[in-house]
Amino acid sequence: MVRFELVSKVYPGGQKAVDDLNLEARKGEFVCLIGPSGCGKTTTMKMINRLHEPTSGRIYVNGRDIMQMNPVTLRRQIGYVIQQIGLMPHMTIAENVALVPRLLGWDRARQEKRVNELLPLVGLDPATYRDRYPSELSGGQQQRVGIARAMAAMPELILMDEPFSALDPITRETLQDEMKRLQHKYKLTVVFVTHDMDEALKLGDTIVVMRSGKIVQAASPDELLRNPKDDFVAQFVGRDRTRDVSLLKVADVMIRPVTIGPEHGLAEALVLMKKRRVSSLMVVDEDDRLLGFVTPRMIEKVRRGRVADVMRPDIITASPETPLQEAFERMFLAHLDYLPAVDEEGRLVGLITSTTMVDALSQALWSDEGESE
Ligand code: ADP
Ligand code: MG
């Protein structure tokens, strides 16, 4: 679909942005270009639709040398999505989406029909959005329109230059998922520039790691993770990978539980809960072995007596080694707000609560906010 043969780009002023690049994106392939700022990703991409022209070498799209094609015709066959969205502010959403079809001379009815097909594809209700203006939409919604616009004339090839990097993490994830789905469904060839390795690993069939205008390694996500070609790639792939949520364990996030002995009085238990602001106490023996738990409701029914009289021993636990996601699932399925962690001898070593869980997950998922590049 796209082939680079020994392509170089030297900007006026002598900056060699791309250096003897050989690259191929097959039909239906999702190719991610990744590398540090200034390594030539955008230049590479812009040469595909002739927003920049190579200084030397050849680029083929669908087997045709693009330098032999009319650049305007070429561009209209290629969808293009950039970070700054680039919607026309004085045109409605429908007009923005229909921009290329209109330039291609489609009649009005066909343009309308296409707009009404496309907006739902990117999760926007046509009745609600088609007559609005870009400024009335959130960043994420605008970027959805940007994708719809890129797909409007049914291109087989879509170029995307850091399209999601200005979005908040949740919106970004959603749009990544949708883009992947659309790419599959319509067998699109996508060349996607990012500096976010998580994004590249998630989306790419092939990841092309660039440095100083050259390709350091082009490989599948799996291959890249297993066999990074050199330290540069390894470092690039390795960055932030320790934050992978699937690697977190209960021990990584558990807190110290509030406990009480079985021989203590119920009034004392209530006071302790109030003082420590917890809605239950873990009951442990003198060796810290977990015996059960007690809540204010259990106490209310009896009022007098000892913790041992009312506590419930049927308690679901995890081990400190339990993967966090599994523990979360256990809590969720059993409608629990917390899950105690016990060691092999049954000793209580920690507690995870739904709050600590959410904190841990959000930190792991999003703590790299703003530290791009
Ligand atoms: P990336 O997208 O990977 O950050 P770019 O392709 O934008 O990298 O830039 C590659 C190199 O080319 C950089 O050194 C950049 O400064 C230079 N460059 C990019 N665009 C131009 C331009 N229009 N004129 C001169 N130099 C440029
Ligand atoms: Mg760039």
Side-chain angles (χ1 to χ4, degrees):
M1 188 79 206
V2 182
R3 200 167 79 245
F4 280 62
E5 284 178 6
L6 277 178
V7 173
S8 293
K9 172 68 182 179
V10 183
Y11 282 109
Q15 175 73 34
K16 195 164 197 177
V18 172
D19 193 0
D20 280 348
L21 200 78
N22 290 305
L23 174 69
E24 183 164 10
R26 291 183 307 272
K27 188 167 163 39
E29 191 176 17
F30 203 122
V31 176
C32 287
L33 304 182
I34 190 166
S37 189
C39 72
K41 305 181 294 291
T42 296
T43 303
T44 300
M45 171 153 288
K46 284 185 169 173
M47 286 193 288
I48 301 174
N49 59 8
R50 283 187 63 178
L51 290 173
H52 288 319
E53 293 187 350
T55 312
S56 61
R58 295 246 176 281
I59 300 173
Y60 300 90
V61 170
N62 256 337
R64 292 181 65 191
D65 182 342
I66 61 168
M67 294 313 285
Q68 309 299 320
M69 297 171 72
N70 177 307
V72 177
T73 315
L74 173 74
R75 261 167 237 155
R76 287 180 188 168
Q77 294 171 16
I78 301 176
Y80 188 42
V81 186
I82 52 175
Q83 182 186 328
Q84 307 84 318
I85 304 166
L87 299 180
M88 306 288 175
H90 304 297
M91 288 167 59
T92 63
I93 299 310
E95 288 167 340
N96 267 285
V97 172
L99 194 63
V100 175
R102 205 173 81 202
L103 293 171
L104 289 172
W106 293 18
D107 64 48
R108 230 187 148 76
R110 190 171 168 215
Q111 289 177 36
E112 293 281 297
K113 183 164 172 277
R114 186 66 180 143
V115 169
N116 289 332
E117 274 167 15
L118 278 164
L119 289 177
L121 274 185
V122 295
L124 297 173
D125 171 38
T128 311
Y129 291 102
R130 51 171 302 132
D131 296 322
R132 293 200 185 172
Y133 288 89
S135 61
E136 301 173 72
L137 272 58
S138 70
Q141 289 170 330
Q142 290 188 41
Q143 201 53 288
R144 288 170 186 271
V145 176
I147 294 172
R149 185 182 57 179
M151 291 179 60
M154 305 187 207
E156 295 173 76
L157 173 62
I158 297 195
L159 310 179
M160 306 182 88
D161 195 345
E162 308 209 14
F164 306 141
S165 48
L167 304 175
D168 67 87
I170 296 176
T171 310
R172 188 186 311 150
E173 286 243 355
T174 314
L175 285 181
Q176 286 168 349
D177 292 339
E178 301 215 347
M179 194 56 222
K180 193 71 189 167
R181 184 177 57 80
L182 291 171
Q183 185 250 341
H184 266 291
K185 184 165 175 190
Y186 297 101
K187 303 189 172 49
L188 301 168
T189 309
V190 179
V191 180
F192 189 106
V193 166
T194 180
H195 57 248
D196 174 358
M197 187 51 92
D198 290 315
E199 184 166 71
L201 290 169
K202 176 170 176 178
L203 293 175
D205 299 312
T206 301
I207 298 175
V208 177
V209 184
M210 292 179 67
R211 181 190 202 179
S212 311
K214 288 181 175 299
I215 294 178
V216 187
Q217 185 170 14
S220 68
D222 217 41
E223 174 69 14
L224 208 67
L225 287 168
R226 280 178 215 277
N227 296 312
K229 192 174 162 186
D230 60 15
D231 286 349
F232 174 77
V233 177
Q235 207 187 11
F236 218 79
V237 175
R239 189 169 63 181
D240 292 340
R241 216 118 310 278
T242 47
R243 293 219 196 91
D244 189 340
V245 183
S246 61
L247 300 178
L248 287 178
K249 292 175 180 167
V250 167
D252 296 326
V253 301
M254 65 193 185
I255 56 172
R256 181 202 287 267
V258 183
T259 61
I260 193 164
E263 71 290 352
H264 288 265
L266 292 177
E268 189 189 341
L270 273 181
V271 170
L272 183 59
M273 280 188 243
K274 207 168 161 192
K275 193 169 128 211
R276 301 290 299 272
R277 295 171 176 278
V278 293
S279 55
S280 60
L281 297 173
M282 297 297 119
V283 184
V284 294
D285 69 12
E286 58 273 21
D287 294 323
D288 270 340
R289 260 185 285 269
L290 182 64
L291 303 174
F293 68 106
V294 62
T295 66
R297 273 188 67 182
M298 299 175 192
I299 295 175
E300 247 164 47
K301 287 185 191 150
V302 186
R303 284 168 188 270
R304 292 173 158 278
R306 297 178 316 135
V307 168
D309 303 331
V310 301
M311 71 171 199
R312 284 177 49 179
D314 51 331
I315 189 164
I316 299 177
T317 63
S319 129
E321 295 305 308
T322 306
L324 194 57
Q325 283 173 334
E326 196 184 312
F328 195 22
E329 218 167 69
R330 230 178 266 179
M331 274 168 70
F332 183 76
L333 292 175
H335 302 284
L336 299 171
D337 289 328
Y338 57 83
L339 199 64
V342 296
D343 68 12
E344 281 153 19
E345 271 94 60
R347 277 190 295 256
L348 180 67
V349 292
L351 184 79
I352 54 175
T353 69
S354 40
T355 316
T356 43
M357 191 74 84
V358 170
D359 286 351
L361 290 178
S362 57
Q363 235 187 25
L365 288 170
W366 300 317
S367 58
D368 55 351
E369 258 308 82
E371 103 183 8
S372 47
E373 304 291 309

